[in-house]
């Protein structure tokens, strides 16, 4: 049987339509959670009444973007502190390797004390005590894929850390490949990728062509960094409260993923002639 949904907004009750159960959980035979999916999309007018859009000034800004190719440490701090809300500070134990870490990693660990999401949602920057060398003892592994398929590392040395070292991407049985950006750019790219992957509001198109990518990104700002991730070179595009990453293995078919801090940040994409797998705007 369809379920009829209505919500109270102020002193008014708005009828939203019918929905069906798409997912539910139980514990000892008792319903604990239930996700409903509307059978017909809400009109934008009705949606805006039920879940009002945020004014642009309430979305994370783009001040950081101007520092990407100037003061990258400032860019990273501005983006992470603007995107992630403050959580309770955690005490991170330190090890003897801490003083030998380059500044980009030390800064990310400092930011993650109050914003743990900065260490990743899909892939992860390892907590400082979990850093380790690879099986050859040559590279310091600091980042891992969520299923362990690949990792990121730095050349390990007992001497002082290089100021802005090369980041090496590697599958366990393959030769390492250098990321195009050194650590200072890599940590920005990693932060953008993870912010979009872990966002509460998503826009996920089906495979795109190059002209569709141009349409998708026309109203956005390109982050001026060389491509991220050697497997499928990835570029980032941003707007207030929005990060979009676009990747391609062959330069002909493109994958895109948009993540936002609020549904209203997806407005620049709302009217595009694109076939969406999911659109939370």
């Amino acid at each position: 049987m369809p379920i009829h949904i209505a919500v109270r907004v102020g002193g008014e009750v708005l009828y939203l339509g019918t929905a069906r159960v798409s997912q539910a959980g139980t514990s000892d035979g008792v319903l604990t959670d239930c996700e409903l999916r509307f059978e017909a999309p809400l009109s934008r007018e009705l949606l805006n009444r039920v879940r009002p859009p945020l004014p642009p000034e309430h979305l994370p800004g783009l001040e950081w973007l101007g520092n990407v190719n100037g003061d990258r440490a400032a860019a990273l701090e501005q983006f992470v502190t603007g995107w992630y809300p403050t959580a309770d500070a955690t005490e991170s134990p330190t090890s003897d390797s801490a003083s030998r870490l380059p500044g980009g990693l030390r800064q990310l660990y400092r930011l993650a004390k109050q914003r743990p999401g900065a260490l990743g949602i899909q892939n992860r920057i390892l907590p400082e005590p979990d850093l380790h060398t690879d099986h050859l003892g040559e590279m310091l592994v600091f980042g891992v894929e969520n299923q362990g398929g690949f990792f990121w590392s730095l050349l390990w040395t007992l001497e002082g850390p290089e100021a802005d070292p090369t980041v090496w991407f590697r599958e366990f049985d393959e030769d390492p490949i250098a990321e195009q950006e050194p650590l200072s750019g890599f940590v920005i790219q990693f932060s953008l990728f993870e912010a979009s992957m872990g966002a509460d509001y998503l826009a996920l198109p089906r495979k795109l062509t190059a002209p569709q990518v141009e349409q998708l990104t026309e109203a956005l700002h390109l982050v001026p960094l060389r491509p991220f991730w050697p497997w499928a070179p990835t570029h980032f595009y941003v707007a207030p409260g929005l990060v979009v990453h676009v990747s391609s293995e062959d330069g002909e078919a493109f994958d895109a993923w948009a993540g936002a801090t609020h549904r209203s940040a997806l407005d620049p994409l709302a009217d595009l002639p694109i076939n969406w797998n999911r659109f939370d705007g």
Side-chain angles (χ1 to χ4, degrees):
M1 296 289 291
I3 301 168
H4 294 268
I5 305 295
V7 297
R8 183 181 298 279
V9 179
E12 183 181 11
V13 175
L14 298 178
Y15 177 69
L16 303 182
T18 58
R20 293 187 183 275
V21 175
S22 63
Q23 184 175 323
T26 61
S27 177
D28 296 327
V30 177
L31 183 68
T32 57
D33 58 271
C34 182
E35 182 177 289
L36 302 173
R37 184 170 295 276
F38 284 107
E39 295 187 304
L42 301 185
S43 69
R44 184 157 294 276
E45 177 184 3
L46 184 56
L47 182 59
N48 285 345
R49 293 177 66 188
V50 175
R51 304 185 74 175
L54 281 178
E57 60 270 18
H58 291 177
L59 295 171
L62 297 180
E63 295 82 3
W64 60 271
L65 191 59
N67 286 320
V68 165
N69 280 325
D71 187 345
R72 288 184 171 179
L76 178 66
E77 180 144 4
Q78 289 168 334
F79 174 76
V80 169
T81 57
W83 186 275
Y84 294 101
T86 303
D88 292 335
T90 58
E91 289 297 326
S92 300
T94 59
S95 72
D96 293 339
S97 67
S99 62
R100 296 198 297 273
L101 295 178
L105 274 182
R106 292 201 308 270
Q107 182 189 21
L108 200 56
Y109 290 137
R110 177 178 60 81
L111 293 170
K113 288 183 178 181
Q114 291 190 315
R115 296 168 172 84
L119 294 185
I121 303 296
Q122 174 77 4
N123 307 313
R124 293 187 303 124
I125 299 295
L126 295 174
E128 195 274 327
D130 295 340
L131 298 177
H132 59 273
T133 56
D134 67 357
H135 62 289
L136 298 176
E138 298 174 346
M139 311 294 287
L140 179 69
V141 177
F142 71 90
V144 294
E145 193 254 351
N146 63 339
Q147 295 181 359
F150 60 82
F151 59 90
W152 287 287
S153 59
L154 305 171
L155 185 63
W156 178 241
T157 174
L158 295 178
E159 301 174 358
E162 185 180 345
D164 197 10
T166 298
V167 175
W168 296 93
F169 169 94
R170 187 175 189 175
E171 291 183 275
F172 286 101
D173 297 328
E174 302 292 334
D175 292 334
I177 304 171
E179 287 280 356
Q180 294 194 44
E181 287 289 342
L183 183 64
S184 62
F186 173 87
V187 290
I188 295 173
Q189 293 173 319
F190 179 89
S191 297
L192 290 168
F193 187 88
E194 294 302 316
S196 64
M197 293 298 294
D200 290 332
Y201 300 87
L202 302 176
L204 311 179
R206 302 185 189 278
K207 285 281 187 180
L208 300 175
T209 63
Q212 287 176 314
V213 170
E214 289 186 14
Q215 287 182 307
L216 178 70
T217 60
E218 184 176 11
L220 309 178
H221 300 273
L222 172 66
V223 178
L225 293 169
R226 287 167 289 188
F228 171 70
W229 202 37
W231 268 0
T234 300
H235 291 89
F236 296 92
Y237 301 83
V238 295
L242 174 66
V243 176
V244 178
H245 65 260
V246 178
S247 61
S248 177
E249 295 181 12
D250 59 12
E252 296 182 1
F254 295 82
D255 293 301
W257 183 292
T261 56
H262 190 273
R263 74 170 191 86
S264 55
L266 294 170
D267 279 351
L269 314 181
D271 298 321
L272 296 176
I274 286 176
N275 189 7
W276 301 101
N277 281 321
R278 171 176 173 174
F279 190 83
D280 294 342

